[in-house]
Amino acid sequence: MTGPHPDLADAPLLRAARGLPASRVPVWFMRQAGRSLPEYRALRGEGSILDAIHDPGLSAEITLQPVRRYGVDAAILYSDIVVPAHAIGFGVDVAPGIGPVVTKPFRSAADLARLRPYEPDVDAPYVSEAVRLAVAELGATPLIGFAGAPFTVASYLIEGRPSRTYGLTKSMMHGEPGLWRELLDRLADMAIASLLAQVGAGASAIQLFDSWVGALPPDVYEELVMPASAKVLTALEATGVPRIHFGVGTGELLTLMGAAGADVVGIDWRVPLDMARDRLPGKAVQGNLDPAVCLAPWDVVADRARDVLRRNAGRPGHIFNLGHGVLPELDPGILAQVVDLVHEEGRAGA
Ligand code: CP3
């Protein structure tokens, strides 16, 4: 077992995540691995991602593809937020083109019996193995491990499929707050186990995805969601790896998400980056080019990417990213140009 690569401590992503000046503005893209890449489509074949990742060599290879193609400053493990729930046998699958689907959704206290603790080494050893394989190849480029935050995972388990309104989720939250809290607490423990295993296997940063939490107003977030997310982020503190916390539509939640224990808060494209920084004193930020803008001609994309850099105004503690995931129809050539632009024009202090 070899230790971490000696240059990893100076990696721009890890320095920026700690709010320190870096040799360049680091950039990576949520969903950088996936259908927008021809080399991914060539390797992947049909079927659920949950089956594909049983082959750690394949996961590691897909994780590395965008790093090779784009020269991004981080890799993110090819896996999914529902892997732990799937691995304990809750009956979750990922339907291609749709997202997570659950055979028997979580609807009452009786369903707690189906939510046993997650033991990464026993239930999904292929995840840690994929981390080890990818890290061995990545050298001085950090690997970001990740987990789904309790609210977002709960929303899939309760609704049974992607939802627009979160009607069943909100009805449980408000109608059965005791059950809701118990569910979130168990999902927090699941995320903690998963993240600790990934860090143990060599991940040098983590991201907690609360993608759909923007469906909630701040007071409800603070009372019924933040304690569970804070439990996860706090449990990771002792590892010393930077913690990134991200959701979509979270303009009014940003300050609370930072206070939940994140070192870096991910910003979607709706909040101008300078305003986001005002809401997050002392925190690093990640974002926030609109992924849909990347479908426009290069001049437009370049202009919008420069606007993000301008709003950060050279302050340390900025990780460039999209405001959400890469769209599958995106031309990867555009992202390669974005990486070059950020690296050339986004020097700290410029
Ligand atoms: O580059 C990366 O970001 C790769 C790792 C990654 C995946 N899922 C791979 C994946 C990450 C970080 C995720 C997290 C995830 N999964 C989130 C949070 C991030 C976000 O987008 O907000 C959410 C909400 C999910 C749930 C999920 N899984 C959805 C909505 C989908 C899309 C369904 C589809 O086919 O369009 C998935 C499946 C999934 N996860 C794919 C990928 C690359 C799609 C293709 C495949 O099955 O390999």
Side-chain angles (χ1 to χ4, degrees):
M1 175 93 203
T2 52
H5 192 280
D7 294 336
L8 203 48
D10 295 327
L13 180 108
L14 299 180
R15 289 188 57 87
R18 298 191 169 97
L20 301 170
S23 56
R24 62 190 192 192
V25 174
V27 48
W28 68 280
F29 305 111
M30 291 182 277
R31 285 284 167 85
Q32 62 190 13
R35 277 192 300 250
S36 65
L37 294 183
E39 59 270 35
Y40 167 86
R41 298 195 297 269
L43 213 56
R44 179 62 175 78
E46 300 297 311
S48 166
I49 179 176
L50 300 180
D51 296 325
I53 62 170
H54 276 84
D55 176 352
L58 181 67
S59 303
E61 178 57 25
I62 292 175
T63 300
L64 295 166
Q65 283 179 342
V67 179
R68 292 194 193 112
R69 178 186 272 264
Y70 299 127
V72 278
D73 295 280
I76 183 155
L77 184 68
Y78 180 68
S79 182
D80 199 81
I81 59 168
V82 296
V83 164
H86 168 73
I88 62 158
F90 193 82
V92 191
D93 203 352
V94 174
I98 298 173
V101 288
V102 179
T103 324
K104 206 166 160 290
F106 187 100
R107 296 287 159 77
S108 73
D111 295 313
L112 286 170
R114 297 192 290 133
L115 214 57
R116 67 164 172 83
Y118 174 53
E119 296 177 65
D121 292 345
V122 180
D123 296 320
Y126 46 86
V127 175
S128 295
E129 185 56 21
V131 171
R132 280 189 285 272
L133 292 172
V135 167
E137 294 288 321
L138 279 163
T141 303
L143 177 80
I144 301 171
F146 72 90
F151 173 85
T152 290
V153 176
S155 79
Y156 283 120
L157 298 190
I158 295 169
E159 305 286 340
R161 52 179 296 117
S163 166
R164 277 207 185 85
T165 59
Y166 305 97
L168 292 164
T169 307
K170 291 183 182 183
S171 131
M172 186 180 295
M173 238 172 150
H174 296 292
E176 294 178 85
L179 177 59
W180 169 259
R181 283 203 172 87
E182 178 64 26
L183 171 60
L184 256 64
D185 194 59
R186 293 199 190 188
L187 295 177
D189 288 342
M190 214 179 255
I192 291 166
S194 173
L195 292 168
L196 289 176
Q198 292 173 67
V199 172
S204 48
I206 62 98
Q207 180 155 329
L208 187 63
F209 281 98
D210 212 350
S211 301
W212 312 132
V213 78
L216 301 177
D219 59 337
V220 174
Y221 175 80
E222 190 170 11
E223 189 188 338
L224 292 166
V225 174
M226 191 176 161
S229 298
K231 183 180 184 183
V232 180
L233 293 164
T234 305
L236 266 293
E237 190 170 3
T239 66
V241 308
R243 298 155 296 174
I244 311 170
H245 194 22
F246 168 80
V248 181
T250 52
E252 300 305 323
L253 304 180
L254 290 177
T255 304
L256 291 170
M257 289 176 75
D263 303 294
V264 185
V265 179
I267 316 294
D268 85 357
W269 64 92
R270 293 171 181 87
V271 185
L273 202 70
D274 47 336
M275 289 178 63
R277 292 214 77 152
D278 288 345
R279 292 175 192 188
L280 290 159
K283 300 280 175 190
V285 293
Q286 174 173 281
N288 71 343
L289 179 63
D290 186 342
V293 161
C294 296
L295 304 174
W298 168 244
D299 289 3
V300 178
V301 181
D303 203 49
R304 298 309 301 166
R306 286 190 181 109
D307 184 64
V308 172
L309 292 172
R310 211 162 22 235
R311 288 177 187 279
N312 185 61
R315 284 173 281 188
H318 177 214
I319 299 168
F320 196 101
N321 204 312
L322 304 179
H324 197 192
V326 173
L327 298 173
E329 63 268 40
L330 181 67
D331 167 10
I334 290 282
L335 288 186
Q337 285 178 279
V338 171
V339 170
D340 291 346
L341 183 148
V342 172
H343 283 164
E344 279 161 27
E345 300 182 23
R347 301 215 165 265

